[in-house]
Amino acid sequence: MSARNQFKGKVVKITEGAVHSIVKIDIGDNVISSSITNEAVKELGLAEGKEAYAIIKASNVMVGIE
């Protein structure tokens, strides 16, 4: 895996939609949210309270102001 940013944390919330779920992982000082398929949630066995990694690979980050 080429993603260099990996943060171990605990799943604090999973909000399931029609196709995708929003998974929130508490990594200590922050909570990271990710949109993944419902099938991926099942395949990974994700559940609230379970440990998981937030693995981040980004080629760019956009920042905006009002």
Side-chain angles (χ1 to χ4, degrees):
M1 184 178 319
S2 63
R4 295 181 184 256
N5 300 304
Q6 300 180 25
F7 303 95
K8 187 175 183 178
K10 188 173 286 190
V11 177
V12 292
K13 186 167 185 167
I14 299 174
T15 305
E16 188 174 324
V19 177
H20 289 87
S21 291
I22 304 297
V23 178
K24 294 185 181 241
I25 300 174
D26 185 340
I27 60 167
D29 292 340
N30 295 291
V31 175
I32 295 178
S33 297
S34 178
S35 174
I36 65 174
T37 64
N38 293 336
E39 187 170 331
V41 170
K42 291 175 188 163
E43 286 178 5
L44 293 168
L46 296 177
E48 291 180 15
K50 195 166 185 184
E51 288 188 343
Y53 286 87
I55 303 168
I56 301 166
K57 180 175 182 175
S59 58
N60 58 44
V61 176
M62 298 176 73
V63 178
I65 60 170
E66 286 189 36

